Amino acid sequence: MKLTILGGGGFRVPLVYGALLTDHAEGRVTEVVLHDLDDSRLYAVARVLAEQASTVAGAPTVTATTDLDEALRGADFVFSAIRVGGLEGRANDERVALAEGVLGQETVGAGGIAYGLRTVPVAVDIARRVARLAPDAWVINFTNPAGLVTEAMSRHLGDRVIGICDSPVGLGRRIARVLGANPREAFIDYVGLNHLGWVRGLRVAGRDELPRLLADSDLLGSFEEGKLFGVDWLRSLGAIPNEYLHYYYFNRETVRAYQQAEKTRGAFLRDQQARFYEEMRRPDAAALTAWDRTRAEREATYMSENRETAGAGERDADDLSGGYEKVALALMRAIARDERTTLILNVRNQGALSVLDTDAVIEVPCLVDANGAHPVAVAPLPDHATGLVCAVKGVEREVLAATESGSRASAVKAFALHPLVDSVNVARRLVEGYTAVHPGLAYLG
Ligand code: G6P
Ligand code: MN
């Protein structure tokens, strides 16, 4: 089984490779091909992988290339984990938005739109090449904004592209843990768009345990989302939102905190990772140790401004292990070996959430087997959540229209219609600001 990783020089590739090393079963991945535009990043990551593999018998072979078509040919699975414009681009997404007084997060609000506008054309090119060169491959999209990018690719790959994110899984795991339930036995009733979803129930043997959590202040305030949103607000909602909804429900505070931060998240990661890749140039560097130290710092500081505004304190030790590589591996196993399982994934709606059309990519529990991921029909969302989901899907569709037509007016419309952008004039200035800093937006005439 051949797995191609696009963005193969990316910092989180060793997480994926580490997950592959735990898989010894028949039908596992035996060959990993890393693709990246940047040779030195490939070299750095390959060094980490080599150290990871050194103690494991039968570790998947690793090769690296900067030739995209060569990387794709013959692939059974393609992981797409690219970052168009790099972390410098992410820092610019944040800076331009914050200067206008609106959020610049990489997936939420103006920043997510800017990132989407320059990523979609590249993702679509990849999708077209996969369709031509590896028509039977399954594409697992990690690239943010994951829902939007998956929808763009699905227009060329249909249901053979599946988007993943670890935040719903982490949320489900935390809720199960505080309720004393086994996450493997619990069905998480979660739905929405990527980074815009809500847990409305957690069923164990058919019984919904969420009301028990909502009724118990101590339990409710004891985990990440309880600390972030506050017990009272969760109870008012009657649901547990994805952590990214903190940017919506506490928008004013998060924007201010990001404006006042010494460095935005993108700038912090840009500098932190630059140090890591620089260190990897030294022939005597201890690659895996340096990588792990950098990773731990990244995990510990994740959403730190949000947690600070909420007075949430440090992250729980259990939440520091990420988990997106586990979702990816579980998904790959389910498809490659028909190991049936239920995972929360980004797939075309197909009627699961009836308020959106069938081709809209949503984030929803799916039954996964050798035939792919099949969304489970879910109960409708309450009106306010439906409103947000529809508004943001409308924005995503404007982004897709802008990338297809090159229309600047569509780009302005995408920003202006976003619930976290409060004026059409702001939207116009955002388009000016972003096209001035991002070469990848030159197509917007
Ligand atoms: C979460 C999100 C991902 C994001 C990751 C890293 O897992 O769901 O979409 O890529 O965090 O965030 P960071 O701010 O460290 O890049
Ligand atoms: Mn995510």
Side-chain angles (χ1 to χ4, degrees):
M1 191 78 61
K2 168 174 164 177
L3 166 65
T4 295
I5 305 183
L6 308 180
F11 184 77
R12 290 197 284 180
V13 169
L15 289 174
V16 172
Y17 192 66
L20 297 178
L21 290 176
T22 65
D23 186 4
H24 304 286
E26 188 74 23
R28 70 184 185 281
V29 170
T30 49
E31 192 186 341
V32 174
V33 178
L34 306 179
H35 173 269
D36 206 285
L37 305 176
D38 184 333
D39 242 343
S40 66
R41 288 169 65 88
L42 282 172
Y43 168 75
V45 168
R47 282 186 67 182
V48 180
L49 305 196
E51 284 193 29
Q52 286 176 295
S54 64
T55 53
V56 182
T61 60
V62 177
T63 53
T65 175
T66 52
D67 182 328
L68 179 55
D69 291 354
E70 180 193 316
L72 293 176
R73 256 181 227 110
D76 297 293
F77 286 90
V78 177
F79 285 3
S80 185
I82 59 172
R83 185 174 285 284
V84 179
L87 285 164
E88 181 66 31
R90 179 170 173 182
N92 284 332
D93 287 342
E94 296 165 335
R95 194 171 47 77
V96 169
L98 290 171
E100 280 298 335
V102 295
L103 188 73
Q105 208 278 333
E106 66 159 340
T107 60
V108 181
I113 297 171
Y115 190 25
L117 282 169
R118 63 175 194 281
T119 304
V120 164
V122 181
V124 164
D125 176 60
I126 290 169
R128 287 205 175 105
R129 284 174 198 249
V130 172
R132 205 174 63 237
L133 299 169
D136 296 330
W138 290 89
V139 177
I140 302 183
N141 178 55
F142 297 64
T143 302
N144 272 332
L148 167 65
V149 170
T150 302
E151 184 161 322
M153 296 180 89
S154 76
R155 292 183 176 182
H156 303 272
L157 293 166
D159 295 322
R160 295 191 84 84
V161 58
I162 298 169
I164 66 167
C165 175
D166 61 338
S167 41
V169 189
L171 173 57
R173 192 179 54 213
R174 286 189 282 279
I175 298 176
R177 199 193 301 134
V178 291
L179 282 166
N182 180 348
R184 286 169 202 279
E185 287 165 10
F187 176 79
I188 318 287
D189 177 356
Y190 174 98
V191 73
L193 304 183
N194 178 239
H195 292 186
L196 188 78
W198 295 260
V199 172
R200 300 96 51 84
L202 181 140
R203 291 200 289 280
V204 183
R207 194 188 133 95
D208 186 7
E209 300 284 340
L210 195 67
R212 182 158 70 79
L213 175 62
L214 290 167
D216 185 326
S217 298
D218 290 339
L219 279 188
L220 198 51
S222 69
F223 66 106
E224 180 76 5
E225 284 71 13
K227 294 178 197 162
L228 213 48
F229 293 102
V231 168
D232 292 342
W233 181 237
L234 293 184
R235 222 171 253 152
S236 296
L237 284 173
I240 316 290
N242 183 297
E243 58 197 349
Y244 282 80
L245 273 149
H246 194 249
Y247 293 111
Y248 287 83
Y249 293 139
F250 295 88
N251 183 254
R252 190 176 288 222
E253 292 81 1
T254 50
V255 169
R256 196 177 306 134
Y258 276 71
Q259 283 172 327
Q260 289 169 356
E262 193 189 323
K263 274 183 196 174
T264 58
R265 180 68 173 164
F268 169 78
L269 292 174
R270 175 197 62 202
D271 297 346
Q272 186 213 34
Q273 296 203 359
R275 285 194 296 275
F276 166 76
Y277 285 100
E278 195 50 45
E279 194 174 343
M280 286 308 101
R281 288 173 186 271
R282 290 206 332 257
D284 60 331
L288 185 52
T289 311
W291 175 79
D292 204 44
R293 184 185 355 102
T294 311
R295 182 201 60 78
E297 187 191 28
R298 179 180 189 169
E299 295 284 357
T301 52
Y302 175 67
M303 284 187 117
S304 61
E305 270 81 24
N306 303 65
R307 273 182 286 109
E308 221 170 285
T309 65
E314 305 278 290
R315 296 184 84 191
D316 275 0
D318 289 340
D319 294 337
L320 294 177
S321 58
Y324 96 146
E325 69 283 4
K326 294 194 192 90
V327 189
L329 185 65
L331 174 57
M332 215 163 40
R333 290 175 68 139
I335 292 176
R337 302 176 214 163
D338 207 16
E339 287 176 13
R340 284 168 163 260
T341 185
T342 305
L343 296 168
I344 298 172
L345 300 166
N346 289 270
V347 295
R348 292 198 289 189
N349 174 26
Q350 295 168 25
L353 187 63
S354 58
V355 71
L356 294 175
D357 60 79
T358 54
D359 290 342
V361 165
I362 61 170
E363 193 163 79
V364 64
C366 296
L367 295 172
V368 197
D369 60 21
N371 293 313
H374 319 284
V376 175
V378 288
L381 284 160
D383 287 351
H384 102 275
T386 296
L388 273 182
V389 162
C390 291
V392 172
K393 184 51 75 183
V395 169
E396 291 183 1
R397 294 273 163 87
E398 276 317 317
V399 171
L400 295 176
T403 59
E404 271 164 26
S405 64
S407 156
R408 208 174 173 94
S410 293
V412 169
K413 201 170 166 193
F415 285 103
L417 294 180
H418 198 285
L420 300 182
V421 174
D422 56 354
S423 159
V424 175
N425 286 327
V426 172
R428 291 186 179 126
R429 290 198 296 271
L430 287 169
V431 172
E432 291 301 311
Y434 282 130
T435 46
V437 293
H438 290 311
L441 294 183
Y443 71 88
L444 289 174

